[in-house]
């Protein structure tokens, strides 16, 4: 994705807000908004934003898992399964 094609000044946003929102939803590409020639904000549709947030949450879980592995905070799967089976049998 080339962000250079999706750069607009804030004046364009002010004058074309409704059209911009339609395009964001249809194209699902972010729009970089500039002010005084500098990039100041990025607009994106809600569905893309939610997808990004879910992806970041999964990546955070993976990073935490990797930290646990590095710190030796793991147990063999067999031991965990046996413990869970034991709890299931106790609750009957």
């Amino acid at each position: 994705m080339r962000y250079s094609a999706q750069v607009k000044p804030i004046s364009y946003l002010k004058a074309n807000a409704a059209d911009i929102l339609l395009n964001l939803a249809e194209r699902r590409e972010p729009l970089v908004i500039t002010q005084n020639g500098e990039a100041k904000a990025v607009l994106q549709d809600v569905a893309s934003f939610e997808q990004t947030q879910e992806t970041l949450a999964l990546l955070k879980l993976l990073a935490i898992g990797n930290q646990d592995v590095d710190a030796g905070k793991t147990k063999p799967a067999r031991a965990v399964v046996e413990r869970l089976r034991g709890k299931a049998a106790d609750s009957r």
Side-chain angles (χ1 to χ4, degrees), residues 2-69:
R2 299 200 52 172
Y3 291 115
S4 60
Q6 289 294 102
V7 177
K8 300 290 182 192
I10 195 165
S11 58
Y12 182 84
L13 172 64
K14 291 176 184 178
N16 300 286
D19 289 337
I20 289 171
L21 293 177
L22 285 174
N23 286 335
L24 288 173
E26 288 174 7
R27 296 175 68 184
R28 296 193 67 181
E29 292 180 0
L31 177 66
V32 177
I33 301 298
T34 63
Q35 186 176 32
N36 298 324
E38 290 184 39
K40 293 291 184 175
V42 177
L43 295 178
Q44 69 181 142
D45 64 287
V46 172
S48 295
F49 176 77
E50 288 173 343
Q51 185 177 19
T52 299
Q53 294 303 304
E54 289 173 9
T55 301
L56 289 173
L58 289 173
L59 288 172
K60 186 173 183 176
L61 289 173
L62 287 171
I64 291 169
N66 285 337
Q67 289 172 352
D68 287 347
V69 169

Side-chain angles (χ1 to χ4, degrees), residues 66-82:
N66 285 337
Q67 289 172 352
D68 287 347
V69 169
D70 291 343
K73 298 179 182 177
T74 60
K75 295 182 181 180
R78 182 176 305 242
V80 174
V81 170
E82 288 173 2

